[in-house]
Amino acid sequence: MQCPCTPARAYQDCCGAHHTSFAQTGRLTAPTAEALMRSRYSAFVLDLRDYLLASWHPSTRPGQLEAPEAGLKWLGLEVKAQQEKDDTATVAFVARSKLGGRAHRLVETSRFVREDGQWFYVDGDLA
């Protein structure tokens, strides 16, 4: 299976490794904020809501995530920029999807923080 974040890579050699490790240990293993962002995109594609919630910082984490809308198809991810300094980072990206025959683009600059060796998504600014 191809990885949703980078179709040139195998899922298990990319985001699947982070998803599997989390399922087995309860810890997030993405080594960088960009890797966490990519694993979150793949989790959205694969509807891994437990991973999405766990990788969301507790200060901004919603109580639950709704199931994706029926017919939603994620089409791809493009990372535009990333900056990491100490235990904070930003990642700018474009995620493309299609729903009801209409194409959509999510353009966001996400903020991340590292605590206890684990990266967490905090929030983001939509463009």
Side-chain angles (χ1 to χ4, degrees), residues 9-80:
R9 296 189 65 192
Y11 171 69
Q12 206 47 48
D13 295 335
C14 194
C15 296
H18 302 305
H19 297 160
T20 299
S21 180
F22 170 75
Q24 293 172 345
T25 67
R27 287 195 50 88
L28 302 168
T29 59
T32 65
E34 181 180 341
L36 180 69
M37 192 279 306
R38 288 179 174 280
S39 72
R40 285 176 53 81
Y41 170 82
S42 294
F44 273 108
V45 172
L46 300 170
D47 193 22
L48 302 176
R49 284 177 260 168
D50 287 347
Y51 184 87
L52 289 166
L53 286 171
S55 62
W56 213 308
H57 193 269
S59 68
T60 56
R61 179 186 302 146
Q64 66 179 7
L65 292 176
E66 299 298 322
E69 291 188 63
L72 176 65
K73 178 165 178 56
W74 290 99
L75 302 174
L77 173 70
E78 182 181 355
V79 174
K80 296 290 197 174

